[in-house]
PDB file of all heavy atoms in Angstrom:
ATOM      1  N   TYR A 273      -2.203  10.936  30.929  1.00  0.00           N
ATOM      2  CA  TYR A 273      -1.941  10.518  29.563  1.00  0.00           C
ATOM      3  C   TYR A 273      -3.141  10.144  28.891  1.00  0.00           C
ATOM      4  O   TYR A 273      -3.280  10.228  27.595  1.00  0.00           O
ATOM      5  CB  TYR A 273      -0.753   9.612  29.444  1.00  0.00           C
ATOM      6  CG  TYR A 273       0.622  10.071  29.879  1.00  0.00           C
ATOM      7  CD1 TYR A 273       1.258   9.520  31.029  1.00  0.00           C
ATOM      8  CD2 TYR A 273       1.200  11.214  29.217  1.00  0.00           C
ATOM      9  CE1 TYR A 273       2.538   9.944  31.379  1.00  0.00           C
ATOM     10  CE2 TYR A 273       2.308  11.771  29.744  1.00  0.00           C
ATOM     11  CZ  TYR A 273       3.010  11.074  30.725  1.00  0.00           C
ATOM     12  OH  TYR A 273       4.163  11.557  31.146  1.00  0.00           O
ATOM     13  N   GLU A 306       4.043   2.210  17.805  1.00  0.00           N
ATOM     14  CA  GLU A 306       4.080   3.386  18.700  1.00  0.00           C
ATOM     15  C   GLU A 306       5.355   3.409  19.467  1.00  0.00           C
ATOM     16  O   GLU A 306       5.756   2.328  20.067  1.00  0.00           O
ATOM     17  CB  GLU A 306       2.869   3.296  19.686  1.00  0.00           C
ATOM     18  CG  GLU A 306       2.842   4.506  20.572  1.00  0.00           C
ATOM     19  CD  GLU A 306       1.732   4.549  21.483  1.00  0.00           C
ATOM     20  OE1 GLU A 306       0.735   3.775  21.341  1.00  0.00           O
ATOM     21  OE2 GLU A 306       1.537   5.637  22.295  1.00  0.00           O
ATOM     22  N   ILE A 307       5.973   4.494  19.488  1.00  0.00           N
ATOM     23  CA  ILE A 307       7.352   4.778  20.134  1.00  0.00           C
ATOM     24  C   ILE A 307       6.925   5.334  21.647  1.00  0.00           C
ATOM     25  O   ILE A 307       6.174   6.218  21.831  1.00  0.00           O
ATOM     26  CB  ILE A 307       8.215   5.802  19.477  1.00  0.00           C
ATOM     27  CG1 ILE A 307       8.484   5.360  17.998  1.00  0.00           C
ATOM     28  CG2 ILE A 307       9.447   6.036  20.283  1.00  0.00           C
ATOM     29  CD1 ILE A 307       9.029   6.377  17.216  1.00  0.00           C
ATOM     30  N   GLY A 308       7.656   4.830  22.562  1.00  0.00           N
ATOM     31  CA  GLY A 308       7.423   5.432  23.961  1.00  0.00           C
ATOM     32  C   GLY A 308       5.975   5.250  24.412  1.00  0.00           C
ATOM     33  O   GLY A 308       5.422   6.167  25.021  1.00  0.00           O
ATOM     34  N   ALA A 309       5.343   4.135  24.229  1.00  0.00           N
ATOM     35  CA  ALA A 309       3.863   4.015  24.445  1.00  0.00           C
ATOM     36  C   ALA A 309       3.513   3.997  25.865  1.00  0.00           C
ATOM     37  O   ALA A 309       2.360   4.399  26.249  1.00  0.00           O
ATOM     38  CB  ALA A 309       3.406   2.699  23.786  1.00  0.00           C
ATOM     39  N   GLY A 310       4.387   3.771  26.690  1.00  0.00           N
ATOM     40  CA  GLY A 310       4.307   3.901  28.213  1.00  0.00           C
ATOM     41  C   GLY A 310       2.999   3.467  28.796  1.00  0.00           C
ATOM     42  O   GLY A 310       2.562   2.249  28.759  1.00  0.00           O
ATOM     43  N   PHE A 311       2.280   4.456  29.294  1.00  0.00           N
ATOM     44  CA  PHE A 311       0.996   4.139  29.967  1.00  0.00           C
ATOM     45  C   PHE A 311      -0.164   3.944  28.914  1.00  0.00           C
ATOM     46  O   PHE A 311      -1.309   3.702  29.356  1.00  0.00           O
ATOM     47  CB  PHE A 311       0.655   5.251  30.941  1.00  0.00           C
ATOM     48  CG  PHE A 311       1.429   5.367  32.065  1.00  0.00           C
ATOM     49  CD1 PHE A 311       2.567   6.248  32.192  1.00  0.00           C
ATOM     50  CD2 PHE A 311       1.229   4.478  33.236  1.00  0.00           C
ATOM     51  CE1 PHE A 311       3.331   6.291  33.369  1.00  0.00           C
ATOM     52  CE2 PHE A 311       2.063   4.564  34.312  1.00  0.00           C
ATOM     53  CZ  PHE A 311       3.037   5.467  34.389  1.00  0.00           C
ATOM     54  N   GLY A 312       0.194   3.977  27.820  1.00  0.00           N
ATOM     55  CA  GLY A 312      -0.788   3.699  26.687  1.00  0.00           C
ATOM     56  C   GLY A 312      -1.963   4.670  26.497  1.00  0.00           C
ATOM     57  O   GLY A 312      -3.060   4.309  26.057  1.00  0.00           O
ATOM     58  N   GLY A 313      -1.770   5.875  26.998  1.00  0.00           N
ATOM     59  CA  GLY A 313      -2.816   6.900  26.824  1.00  0.00           C
ATOM     60  C   GLY A 313      -3.320   7.131  25.489  1.00  0.00           C
ATOM     61  O   GLY A 313      -4.530   7.083  25.216  1.00  0.00           O
ATOM     62  N   THR A 314      -2.385   7.197  24.442  1.00  0.00           N
ATOM     63  CA  THR A 314      -2.822   7.435  23.091  1.00  0.00           C
ATOM     64  C   THR A 314      -3.215   6.061  22.577  1.00  0.00           C
ATOM     65  O   THR A 314      -4.191   6.004  21.687  1.00  0.00           O
ATOM     66  CB  THR A 314      -1.646   7.934  22.302  1.00  0.00           C
ATOM     67  OG1 THR A 314      -1.050   9.071  22.980  1.00  0.00           O
ATOM     68  CG2 THR A 314      -2.034   8.401  20.887  1.00  0.00           C
ATOM     69  N   ASP A 335       8.397   0.511  23.961  1.00  0.00           N
ATOM     70  CA  ASP A 335       8.893   1.501  24.801  1.00  0.00           C
ATOM     71  C   ASP A 335      10.253   1.169  25.233  1.00  0.00           C
ATOM     72  O   ASP A 335      10.725   0.053  25.094  1.00  0.00           O
ATOM     73  CB  ASP A 335       8.030   1.569  26.252  1.00  0.00           C
ATOM     74  CG  ASP A 335       8.188   2.835  26.983  1.00  0.00           C
ATOM     75  OD1 ASP A 335       9.302   2.931  27.640  1.00  0.00           O
ATOM     76  OD2 ASP A 335       7.349   3.752  26.808  1.00  0.00           O
ATOM     77  N   VAL A 336      11.152   2.102  25.600  1.00  0.00           N
ATOM     78  CA  VAL A 336      12.451   1.835  25.986  1.00  0.00           C
ATOM     79  C   VAL A 336      12.460   0.981  27.280  1.00  0.00           C
ATOM     80  O   VAL A 336      13.420   0.138  27.514  1.00  0.00           O
ATOM     81  CB  VAL A 336      13.251   3.186  26.203  1.00  0.00           C
ATOM     82  CG1 VAL A 336      12.719   3.943  27.471  1.00  0.00           C
ATOM     83  CG2 VAL A 336      14.765   2.895  26.302  1.00  0.00           C
ATOM     84  N   PHE A 340       6.367  -1.344  31.185  1.00  0.00           N
ATOM     85  CA  PHE A 340       5.033  -0.933  30.914  1.00  0.00           C
ATOM     86  C   PHE A 340       4.197  -2.118  30.211  1.00  0.00           C
ATOM     87  O   PHE A 340       2.980  -1.953  30.117  1.00  0.00           O
ATOM     88  CB  PHE A 340       4.983   0.271  29.956  1.00  0.00           C
ATOM     89  CG  PHE A 340       5.449   1.524  30.563  1.00  0.00           C
ATOM     90  CD1 PHE A 340       6.775   1.976  30.259  1.00  0.00           C
ATOM     91  CD2 PHE A 340       4.751   2.263  31.427  1.00  0.00           C
ATOM     92  CE1 PHE A 340       7.344   3.058  30.832  1.00  0.00           C
ATOM     93  CE2 PHE A 340       5.229   3.402  32.014  1.00  0.00           C
ATOM     94  CZ  PHE A 340       6.588   3.859  31.716  1.00  0.00           C
ATOM     95  N   LEU A 363      12.026  -0.795  22.341  1.00  0.00           N
ATOM     96  CA  LEU A 363      12.629  -0.092  21.360  1.00  0.00           C
ATOM     97  C   LEU A 363      13.144   1.300  21.909  1.00  0.00           C
ATOM     98  O   LEU A 363      12.356   2.039  22.589  1.00  0.00           O
ATOM     99  CB  LEU A 363      11.655   0.328  20.185  1.00  0.00           C
ATOM    100  CG  LEU A 363      12.170   1.334  19.128  1.00  0.00           C
ATOM    101  CD1 LEU A 363      13.160   0.513  18.234  1.00  0.00           C
ATOM    102  CD2 LEU A 363      11.041   1.631  18.215  1.00  0.00           C
ATOM    103  N   ASP A 364      14.454   1.530  21.673  1.00  0.00           N
ATOM    104  CA  ASP A 364      15.056   2.839  22.286  1.00  0.00           C
ATOM    105  C   ASP A 364      15.220   3.650  21.013  1.00  0.00           C
ATOM    106  O   ASP A 364      16.059   3.370  20.089  1.00  0.00           O
ATOM    107  CB  ASP A 364      16.344   2.588  22.917  1.00  0.00           C
ATOM    108  CG  ASP A 364      17.130   3.853  23.289  1.00  0.00           C
ATOM    109  OD1 ASP A 364      16.567   4.897  23.041  1.00  0.00           O
ATOM    110  OD2 ASP A 364      18.024   3.764  24.007  1.00  0.00           O
ATOM    111  N   ILE A 365      14.472   4.726  20.886  1.00  0.00           N
ATOM    112  CA  ILE A 365      14.406   5.519  19.617  1.00  0.00           C
ATOM    113  C   ILE A 365      15.660   6.390  19.452  1.00  0.00           C
ATOM    114  O   ILE A 365      15.847   7.001  18.392  1.00  0.00           O
ATOM    115  CB  ILE A 365      13.064   6.365  19.620  1.00  0.00           C
ATOM    116  CG1 ILE A 365      12.747   6.763  18.048  1.00  0.00           C
ATOM    117  CG2 ILE A 365      13.126   7.555  20.425  1.00  0.00           C
ATOM    118  CD1 ILE A 365      12.617   5.640  17.127  1.00  0.00           C
ATOM    119  N   GLU A 366      16.531   6.431  20.532  1.00  0.00           N
ATOM    120  CA  GLU A 366      17.737   7.099  20.311  1.00  0.00           C
ATOM    121  C   GLU A 366      18.805   6.257  19.605  1.00  0.00           C
ATOM    122  O   GLU A 366      19.789   6.758  19.235  1.00  0.00           O
ATOM    123  CB  GLU A 366      18.202   7.479  21.741  1.00  0.00           C
ATOM    124  CG  GLU A 366      17.358   8.552  22.352  1.00  0.00           C
ATOM    125  CD  GLU A 366      18.000   9.367  23.438  1.00  0.00           C
ATOM    126  OE1 GLU A 366      18.209   8.836  24.573  1.00  0.00           O
ATOM    127  OE2 GLU A 366      18.300  10.518  23.167  1.00  0.00           O
ATOM    128  N   THR A 383       3.673   9.859  21.495  1.00  0.00           N
ATOM    129  CA  THR A 383       3.034  10.970  22.194  1.00  0.00           C
ATOM    130  C   THR A 383       3.909  11.296  23.398  1.00  0.00           C
ATOM    131  O   THR A 383       4.212  10.395  24.271  1.00  0.00           O
ATOM    132  CB  THR A 383       1.636  10.564  22.673  1.00  0.00           C
ATOM    133  OG1 THR A 383       0.900  10.338  21.535  1.00  0.00           O
ATOM    134  CG2 THR A 383       1.073  11.659  23.457  1.00  0.00           C
ATOM    135  N   ASN A 384       4.328  12.464  23.566  1.00  0.00           N
ATOM    136  CA  ASN A 384       5.100  12.923  24.776  1.00  0.00           C
ATOM    137  C   ASN A 384       6.308  12.071  25.114  1.00  0.00           C
ATOM    138  O   ASN A 384       6.451  11.771  26.250  1.00  0.00           O
ATOM    139  CB  ASN A 384       4.153  13.027  25.933  1.00  0.00           C
ATOM    140  CG  ASN A 384       3.064  14.094  25.750  1.00  0.00           C
ATOM    141  OD1 ASN A 384       3.382  15.105  25.254  1.00  0.00           O
ATOM    142  ND2 ASN A 384       1.922  13.805  26.288  1.00  0.00           N
ATOM    143  N   CYS A 385       6.935  11.690  24.021  1.00  0.00           N
ATOM    144  CA  CYS A 385       8.132  10.859  24.313  1.00  0.00           C
ATOM    145  C   CYS A 385       9.378  11.373  23.666  1.00  0.00           C
ATOM    146  O   CYS A 385      10.436  11.590  24.325  1.00  0.00           O
ATOM    147  CB  CYS A 385       7.960   9.462  23.811  1.00  0.00           C
ATOM    148  SG  CYS A 385       9.380   8.483  23.484  1.00  0.00           S
ATOM    149  N   THR A 389      14.287  12.842  24.524  1.00  0.00           N
ATOM    150  CA  THR A 389      15.428  12.360  24.005  1.00  0.00           C
ATOM    151  C   THR A 389      16.532  13.466  23.772  1.00  0.00           C
ATOM    152  O   THR A 389      15.982  14.654  23.661  1.00  0.00           O
ATOM    153  CB  THR A 389      15.182  11.549  22.760  1.00  0.00           C
ATOM    154  OG1 THR A 389      14.693  12.386  21.742  1.00  0.00           O
ATOM    155  CG2 THR A 389      14.269  10.329  22.996  1.00  0.00           C
TER     156      THR A 389
HETATM  157  C1  LIG B 501       5.770  10.835  29.128  1.00  0.00           C
HETATM  158  S1  LIG B 501       5.623   9.086  28.866  1.00  0.00           S
HETATM  159  C2  LIG B 501       4.438   9.094  27.522  1.00  0.00           C
HETATM  160  C3  LIG B 501       3.620   7.819  27.790  1.00  0.00           C
HETATM  161  C4  LIG B 501       2.671   7.523  26.548  1.00  0.00           C
HETATM  162  N1  LIG B 501       3.136   8.015  25.295  1.00  0.00           N
HETATM  163  C5  LIG B 501       1.234   7.927  26.908  1.00  0.00           C
HETATM  164  O1  LIG B 501       0.783   8.800  26.294  1.00  0.00           O
HETATM  165  O2  LIG B 501       0.680   7.282  27.689  1.00  0.00           O
HETATM  166  C6  LIG B 501       7.163   8.923  27.930  1.00  0.00           C
HETATM  167  C7  LIG B 501       7.380   7.473  27.553  1.00  0.00           C
HETATM  168  O3  LIG B 501       8.589   7.512  26.673  1.00  0.00           O
HETATM  169  C8  LIG B 501       9.481   6.518  27.065  1.00  0.00           C
HETATM  170  N2  LIG B 501      10.867   6.803  26.577  1.00  0.00           N
HETATM  171  C9  LIG B 501      11.715   7.621  27.087  1.00  0.00           C
HETATM  172  N3  LIG B 501      12.800   7.705  26.330  1.00  0.00           N
HETATM  173  C10 LIG B 501      12.643   6.807  25.372  1.00  0.00           C
HETATM  174  C11 LIG B 501      13.458   6.293  24.345  1.00  0.00           C
HETATM  175  N4  LIG B 501      14.656   6.809  24.168  1.00  0.00           N
HETATM  176  N5  LIG B 501      12.951   5.466  23.367  1.00  0.00           N
HETATM  177  C12 LIG B 501      11.659   5.021  23.593  1.00  0.00           C
HETATM  178  N6  LIG B 501      10.844   5.371  24.631  1.00  0.00           N
HETATM  179  C13 LIG B 501      11.329   6.350  25.460  1.00  0.00           C
HETATM  180  C14 LIG B 501       9.407   6.401  28.509  1.00  0.00           C
HETATM  181  O4  LIG B 501       9.724   5.127  29.002  1.00  0.00           O
HETATM  182  C15 LIG B 501       7.930   6.700  28.798  1.00  0.00           C
HETATM  183  O5  LIG B 501       7.071   5.522  28.693  1.00  0.00           O
END
Side-chain angles (χ1 to χ4, degrees):
Y273 292 119
E306 182 171 0
I307 302 164
F311 290 99
T314 311
D335 201 280
V336 70
F340 293 100
L363 177 68
D364 180 350
I365 203 57
E366 297 199 281
T383 299
N384 293 324
C385 163
T389 61

